[in-house]
Amino acid sequence: MTISAPVHNLQEIGKRAAGEAAVDLIHDGARVGLGTGSTVKYFLLALGERVKAGLHVHGVPTSRETAELAKRLHIPLLPEEEEWNLDVAVDGADQVDPQFQLMKGGGGALLREKIVAAAARRFIVLVDHTKCVRVLGKPMPLPVEVTPFGWVQSAKHLQAFGGPPRLRTRAGTMFQTDGGNAVLDVPVDEIEDPADLEVRLNRIPGVVENGLFVNRTSTLIIGTPDGVEIQHDSSVAR
Ligand code: 5RP
């Protein structure tokens, strides 16, 4: 009897391929932003192996979850309160379009992820093939991090950009980001101009950051069950 592999497993193979390929782009002595999520986990595991074998790196984690894994893998971390001067940041994405624009925040780490990506000279994005879309947006809602104070007011403003925002919850209560904020998932249509939307959303009082990452990706690694495809965006100037 032939049973075709569930899509979930093929996706996992792609995630792993992308994560493991990224580690070859990390040079000795690099200062590295460490993203968050199930794809980046494979990168961290591979990086941990290299560190064990003698590679010297320092990392800045984008979440507590990543910090804990990095510590377990003996990847040295830089203090939060110093200038990081990162050579590269490596992170996943929920959607990527042909112009390398991203939708992120599915895991709720978007603010820290954007701060770390902006602090790095190169931004390497790891996705499996299922994350590649023609246009960002629908059917995925856009994650927006907001202050818990007045979140209902922020939601009211955000509704103008799509359907009624949904407050993200965990175990029946308000999901809290590592920074203590809330996340609103805003149903959006296909996003025609992500650059414009990214800026307009951040003008709303109470909005701390949104999940659009525009003109940041310098290298995209797409993992598939057959291997990886690596694309570079030469137009990203830092
Ligand atoms: C977390 C993120 C993640 O990078 C994104 O959700 C992708 O995660 P995964 O690799 O688990 O699919 O933006 O806020």
Side-chain angles (χ1 to χ4, degrees):
M1 185 172 61
T2 308
I3 302 173
S4 57
V7 172
H8 175 72
N9 286 346
L10 291 179
Q11 189 179 7
E12 209 58 34
I13 292 167
K15 287 181 185 194
R16 184 176 176 164
E20 292 181 350
V23 86
D24 289 336
L25 304 180
I26 306 300
H27 62 80
D28 195 50
R31 296 161 79 90
V32 189
L34 307 172
T36 294
S38 55
T39 313
V40 161
K41 184 191 77 187
Y42 290 111
F43 165 71
L44 293 170
L45 294 173
L47 187 64
E49 285 299 314
R50 294 282 170 98
V51 167
K52 207 161 127 191
L55 183 79
H56 295 97
V57 293
H58 282 89
V60 173
T62 53
S63 62
R64 284 192 200 123
E65 177 193 318
T66 293
E68 275 161 29
L69 181 56
K71 281 179 199 157
R72 281 210 304 278
L73 296 168
H74 305 288
I75 299 170
L77 300 180
L78 293 172
E80 275 182 20
E81 59 283 355
E82 78 173 35
E83 191 183 341
W84 301 321
N85 218 352
L86 298 177
D87 297 292
V88 62
V90 181
D91 207 344
D94 298 302
Q95 289 185 334
V96 55
D97 76 8
Q99 287 74 45
F100 295 60
Q101 320 293 17
L102 315 175
M103 179 106 105
K104 286 180 54 55
L110 60 160
L111 172 62
R112 291 188 181 200
E113 289 174 334
K114 206 178 271 192
I115 292 171
V116 170
R121 278 184 286 284
R122 286 178 69 201
F123 185 39
I124 300 176
V125 175
L126 314 177
V127 292
D128 65 81
H129 60 290
T130 66
K131 306 285 187 63
C132 298
V133 298
R134 191 182 51 82
V135 186
L136 298 181
K138 198 176 177 181
M140 188 188 158
L142 174 60
V144 179
E145 186 161 339
V146 298
T147 56
F149 178 82
W151 73 264
V152 177
Q153 321 310 309
S154 305
K156 211 169 140 190
H157 290 294
L158 285 166
Q159 185 157 346
F161 294 86
R166 191 176 48 81
L167 180 71
R168 200 178 289 185
T169 56
R170 183 174 283 174
T173 56
M174 181 190 274
F175 168 83
Q176 266 207 340
T177 67
D178 286 350
N181 295 313
V183 173
L184 293 169
D185 289 302
V186 184
V188 285
D189 217 326
E190 293 191 339
I191 300 172
E192 280 171 21
D193 189 346
D196 177 62
L197 184 59
E198 184 184 16
V199 171
R200 285 197 296 142
L201 289 171
N202 285 2
R203 285 201 200 116
I204 297 171
V207 169
V208 182
E209 195 44 86
N210 67 80
L212 291 169
F213 283 52
V214 177
N215 296 337
R216 295 193 181 278
T217 309
S218 21
T219 300
L220 174 67
I221 304 184
I222 304 169
T224 75
D226 302 320
V228 292
E229 190 185 320
I230 301 184
Q231 300 174 7
H232 299 281
D233 188 349
S234 51
S235 66
V236 176
R238 286 285 162 87

